[in-house]
Amino acid sequence: MEPIESGLPPSDRLRIGDCLVILSSREVHAPGARRASRLTPKASGVLQVLARRAGEVVTRDELFAQVWPDTLPTNDVLTQAVTLLRKALSAGTGVRQGQDYIETIAKSGYRLVVPVAWEAEPVATATGHAADASGAPAVSGAGDPPPVAGGTRGRGRWTLAVLASAALLLCSAGLLAMMLWRAAPAGNALEAATADGVDVVGSPERPYRLITATRGMAAFPALSPDGALVVYADESEGGSTLRVQSTGSTTSAPLLDTPQGALDRFPAWSPDGREIAFARFHPDGGCEVLVIGATGGSARRATRCDGADMLSFSWMPDGRGLVFGSMTGALGAAGIRTLDLATGHWRTLDYARADDDFDYAPRYSPDGHQLAFVRNPQMGALWAMPAAGGRVRRITAGSAEMRGWGWLDDDGIVFGRRVDSESRLYRVDLRSGRLSDLGVDDAQSPSVARLGKVLVFVHSTPQFGLFRVPLDDPGRREQLFASSGRDAQPMIAPDGRQVVFTSNRSGASALWWGRPEHPDSLHPVEGLRPETRQSPDWSADSQQVLVSGRDPSGRPGIYEVTPEQGQWKRLPIPVDEPLQAVYGPSRDTLFVIAQDRGGTVELVLFDRSGGRWRRQGQVHGVSQVRYERHSARVLFTRLAEGGLWSADAALSPASIAELRGDVPSRWRFRAWAVGGDGAVGYLHQRPDCPVQLSRLDRPSASRCLDATAASTTNGFSIAPDGTAVYVALMLNEGNDIGVMPVPEPASRPLLGASKWLPWLGKVRS
């Protein structure tokens, strides 16, 4: 062995005391350990720096400069790497955490205190034996025959040996191929939990791990370019502050101090990892976008905003500016714009969009050539265009509730999408349009490291229960039906004696019916898959409800349900994609929100009497609709702007009028309801009350329904007599940050081999 020197490593094998480190595979072979330990790339880099200066003190700054040259990591990242090294080097011994290998020098750095040397790599000879650097066999057999000198006899033996070896290889290859065809590979964690389908190996491992362990609600995670750090909003006790931690399970630290009453949200790392942009919302309704160093310090203002809902922005590829989605309010503008941070100059991108399109969460691809965004997030679809603007194209089909997205690479996107009662992560290939489920449930808000193959997301598993809250005394609220699942959208019938709601209490999302006064009447409507994005709507006689849902193939539809009997049927509404339907003045009159193949959304009035569906009127760009029977008017919200609108029952253009210009906001476009007396209630948040009920139809005193728990935003109802509210309230929080490797796309069978699988008796996986 030779002493270690600076510069490039002379071999792949590094001897650290009694341990052998294989640099190419980042494996540490410790004496007495049952198996080799695997280092992370950063931990391996730290070890190599310490090894080159064995016996010397290497400061933290020197390690940061050599192992993390393009970022500004925190001390926690280095501490985590050293901890991993100590565990690997001490594996199989009684040495606690490898203290005899790496010494911590207080307030300075670290020192490697064991002998360090490079080992020469074994060299294979023509005989197949390992040889040392001189070429001599490292292991010799006493019974090996002497080498054959030249001649015909030697060549003949050599030829026979080659032929025999070739025959042996062919037989081995055939046997291996047969074994591969007959053996079912462990293609996922569930299959890996058993051995040959006979023995239990263990519980299947999740593809992710959770790195936060706080009582707060973790939201809006953003991953640093190298994947080492994550910044997120900690929304505890009605506030929202930014915290930073490594992607290991270390304790987080605040990025900065948030002023009293303000909310800091939507963090975004700069491409070089040195700065973080974020939004600060002030109690007076104003807001500003700020930029701060990744290690903290003073924040500087990038631009002002007016606190309007659905603010979105991210960094430009060169790090010199930010790109913003559509913004409302006096300081906003329609369409996607860029902001130069040095000059404060705005530039509006020129691309195809309709006047009422709202383009949200724009982000550039890693190579900077494409710009993708969510168009009309109330409907939910991903679109993309060239980075400089121009022609747009739709990436995802159908209408869904999007829950965040990010670029995986230049041709792949990961996004969260709500399906039934949960949000899952999906991958879409931009070239083929192929969509695949990543196998991560209860996941949303994904963020991907630009340089590292790491993904973080919000793992959300809150529990919601249904409550009846008396308006004269909200403190006397009562839970309707006990549950350990997620109950949502309680819709009280006009007769005041029945309620339908959606829930996953039985393990899968379903529509449930029951009488609040008789809890034992509760039962699910079998075979129906409700779409929890839209609330059910009762008929005037309290006999039937209209429910948006999906068939077994995933196609959206509107279903007419008789919930007490558990009967339902799909309505043949003549539209491309029906999103919501409510009853009008009669059971044969329906108001339907639908989206066509081009992405256009409109509210359509249908008359279905006589078995025919006839259009009677329409309004463009509607996101949510209710029919108010007390005054025979239609109330609705719009895609392009906040506020509440009304029209007569015929949807005549002259009758359309704006009732409120500020609320409901786009984020809470479903959090409003109509009472039997015509009252219009709106659920929103205040700093001192997360569940505040206000009247939208006329000024009146608002009420705090619950000062401690949050509510769902996808539907509630008001008692017919206006004395109570039926709402889903959170019973237990369940938001954490999860981290996982970026999953590789599924490989395609070579040479069309998949078509032969049935003939060979191989079942497709």
Side-chain angles (χ1 to χ4, degrees):
M1 296 189 293
E2 54 182 296
I4 191 168
E5 298 177 356
S6 61
L8 295 176
S11 78
D12 193 39
R13 300 162 66 87
L14 176 61
R15 179 68 64 175
I16 305 289
D18 296 329
C19 298
L20 176 63
V21 181
I22 309 299
L23 298 180
S24 60
S25 60
R26 305 194 307 276
E27 291 181 345
V28 178
H29 297 266
R34 296 179 59 185
R35 60 176 64 87
S37 302
R38 180 67 58 86
L39 300 177
T40 65
K42 295 302 183 184
S44 176
V46 170
L47 181 61
Q48 293 183 56
V49 174
L50 293 175
R52 288 191 173 95
R53 296 177 55 183
E56 302 178 15
V57 177
V58 183
T59 67
R60 288 176 173 269
D61 290 340
E62 290 175 306
L63 289 168
F64 286 145
Q66 296 191 54
V67 183
W68 291 271
D70 299 320
T71 60
L72 294 176
T74 64
N75 288 333
D76 290 340
V77 178
L78 178 56
T79 301
Q80 182 185 4
V82 173
T83 300
L84 179 60
L85 288 175
R86 285 173 169 164
K87 289 182 178 179
L89 294 171
S90 63
T93 69
V95 179
R96 181 180 179 271
Q97 292 293 305
Q99 297 292 341
D100 285 355
Y101 288 87
I102 302 175
E103 180 184 6
T104 299
I105 308 300
K107 298 182 181 181
S108 180
Y110 300 94
R111 177 171 57 188
L112 200 58
V113 294
V114 295
V116 175
W118 298 108
E119 281 194 355
E121 299 181 46
V123 180
T125 65
T127 63
H129 295 297
D132 60 20
S134 65
V139 180
S140 60
D144 290 346
V148 179
T152 304
R153 182 179 178 184
R155 288 195 298 271
R157 289 182 177 179
W158 177 257
T159 302
L160 290 175
V162 171
L163 292 175
S165 299
L168 180 60
L169 286 174
L170 287 175
C171 293
S172 300
L175 179 61
L176 178 61
M178 183 178 296
M179 293 173 63
L180 289 175
W181 284 120
R182 291 186 174 276
N188 54 49
L190 294 178
E191 294 175 356
T194 59
D196 300 326
V198 177
D199 295 328
V200 174
V201 176
S203 60
E205 293 186 6
R206 291 178 175 178
Y208 61 87
R209 56 188 175 87
L210 302 179
I211 61 174
T212 54
T214 63
R215 293 187 60 190
M217 296 284 288
F220 314 116
L223 199 56
S224 62
D226 64 354
L229 298 173
V230 60
V231 57
Y232 64 93
D234 180 8
E235 303 200 334
S236 303
E237 300 178 357
S240 184
T241 59
L242 299 184
R243 303 185 69 86
V244 181
Q245 76 168 70
S246 72
T247 48
S249 298
T250 58
T251 304
S252 63
L255 177 65
L256 75 168
D257 293 328
T258 303
Q260 182 67 30
L263 304 173
D264 289 343
R265 288 171 171 164
F266 310 142
W269 290 86
S270 62
D272 61 5
R274 296 181 181 275
E275 295 182 305
I276 296 173
F278 65 97
R280 173 168 290 169
F281 299 89
H282 295 283
D284 60 1
C287 75
E288 54 187 339
V289 177
L290 304 173
V291 177
I292 191 173
T295 56
S298 299
R300 69 183 191 276
R301 177 190 289 173
T303 185
R304 292 174 55 239
C305 43
D306 58 7
D309 59 314
M310 302 190 83
L311 176 69
S312 63
F313 55 88
S314 63
W315 288 85
M316 297 184 66
D318 59 8
R320 298 180 180 178
L322 301 174
V323 57
F324 284 77
S326 300
M327 294 172 60
T328 59
L331 301 175
I336 296 175
R337 300 179 297 164
T338 60
L339 172 66
D340 186 279
L341 292 177
T343 64
H345 175 70
W346 289 92
R347 183 175 70 89
T348 301
L349 298 187
D350 183 14
Y351 65 101
R353 56 174 297 273
D355 291 339
D356 58 353
D357 281 335
F358 191 90
D359 296 333
Y360 181 73
R363 296 189 178 104
Y364 288 96
S365 59
D367 62 7
H369 295 163
Q370 300 180 81
L371 182 65
F373 54 91
V374 178
R375 172 156 287 178
N376 298 326
Q378 302 97 319
M379 301 295 106
L382 280 166
W383 296 66
M385 65 180 176
R391 181 176 175 271
V392 301
R393 63 187 180 95
R394 187 166 180 168
I395 299 173
T396 57
S399 174
E401 184 176 347
M402 303 293 290
R403 295 291 185 93
W405 74 276
W407 288 94
L408 287 171
D409 49 46
D410 296 326
D411 297 309
I413 283 176
V414 59
F415 63 93
R417 176 173 178 172
R418 188 179 180 90
V419 177
D420 296 334
S421 64
E422 68 174 356
S423 181
R424 301 179 62 83
L425 293 185
Y426 295 86
R427 178 189 186 121
V428 60
D429 186 284
L430 272 66
R431 293 171 298 181
S432 65
R434 180 180 177 83
L435 190 69
S436 57
D437 190 316
L438 296 188
V440 184
D441 55 357
D442 296 313
Q444 59 190 30
S445 303
S447 175
V448 184
R450 284 178 173 265
L451 304 179
K453 296 293 186 180
V454 182
L455 181 153
V456 297
F457 59 92
V458 172
H459 185 257
S460 181
T461 57
Q463 177 188 350
F464 285 89
L466 303 184
F467 288 83
R468 179 185 183 275
V469 184
L471 295 182
D472 59 350
D473 186 3
R476 292 190 299 108
R477 61 180 178 273
E478 56 179 327
Q479 188 171 356
L480 299 184
F481 308 103
S483 171
S484 60
R486 274 174 282 191
D487 297 345
Q489 301 171 315
M491 296 293 119
I492 190 69
D495 62 12
R497 297 193 298 268
Q498 309 172 68
V499 65
V500 293
F501 61 96
T502 58
S503 177
N504 67 345
R505 57 174 55 214
S506 63
S509 179
L511 182 72
W512 290 74
W513 172 92
R515 297 184 183 275
E517 301 299 326
H518 301 282
D520 56 350
S521 66
L522 185 67
H523 68 256
V525 177
E526 301 289 350
L528 180 66
R529 294 175 55 193
E531 175 62 67
T532 57
R533 184 172 49 160
Q534 305 291 354
S535 301
D537 183 67
W538 282 97
S539 60
D541 59 6
S542 302
Q543 296 299 310
Q544 295 177 308
V545 291
L546 294 175
V547 180
S548 60
R550 295 180 180 272
D551 64 14
S553 64
R555 293 182 307 161
I558 301 297
Y559 296 82
E560 192 165 37
V561 184
T562 307
E564 186 172 6
Q565 282 74 40
Q567 300 173 348
W568 53 268
K569 63 179 179 180
R570 183 187 177 103
L571 298 181
I573 304 177
V575 295
D576 290 334
E577 184 179 1
L579 304 176
Q580 184 196 9
V582 300
Y583 289 106
S586 69
R587 188 177 292 184
D588 287 332
T589 306
L590 269 63
F591 295 98
V592 179
I593 296 179
Q595 180 173 239
D596 64 19
R597 291 184 177 87
T600 300
V601 180
E602 62 180 354
L603 170 64
V604 183
L605 169 60
F606 281 105
D607 182 350
R608 60 169 177 169
S609 59
R612 298 178 57 192
W613 291 79
R614 296 178 295 274
R615 284 178 174 249
Q616 302 291 317
Q618 58 273 329
V619 178
H620 190 70
V622 173
S623 58
Q624 188 82 178
V625 63
R626 302 276 191 272
Y627 180 68
E628 197 262 290
R629 297 185 179 94
H630 184 264
S631 56
R633 59 177 178 168
V634 180
L635 303 178
F636 58 90
T637 56
R638 290 185 178 273
L639 290 172
E641 54 191 319
L644 186 67
W645 300 71
S646 70
D648 61 21
L651 297 184
S652 57
S655 69
I656 297 176
E658 184 183 75
L659 298 181
R660 292 287 298 265
D662 52 347
V663 290
S665 69
R666 281 191 190 83
W667 277 129
R668 306 182 73 89
F669 73 103
R670 297 166 301 184
W672 58 283
V674 179
D677 58 352
V680 182
Y682 176 56
L683 286 183
H684 58 105
Q685 293 178 318
R686 290 196 336 188
D688 59 340
C689 180
V691 188
Q692 187 80 14
L693 179 68
S694 298
R695 288 282 296 265
L696 295 183
D697 52 332
R698 62 177 182 267
S700 66
S702 61
R703 293 175 176 85
C704 182
L705 301 186
D706 197 305
T708 59
S711 69
T712 60
T713 59
N714 60 346
F716 72 103
S717 59
I718 302 175
D721 58 6
T723 61
V725 168
Y726 292 80
V727 62
L729 299 176
M730 183 182 294
L731 300 176
N732 292 302
E733 297 178 348
N735 272 25
D736 289 295
I737 304 297
V739 61
M740 62 183 288
V742 171
E744 296 295 333
S747 59
R748 295 171 180 254
L750 298 177
L751 303 177
S754 61
K755 66 183 180 181
W756 301 105
L757 297 181
W759 182 77
L760 292 168
K762 179 71 174 178
V763 180
R764 298 189 188 194
S765 60

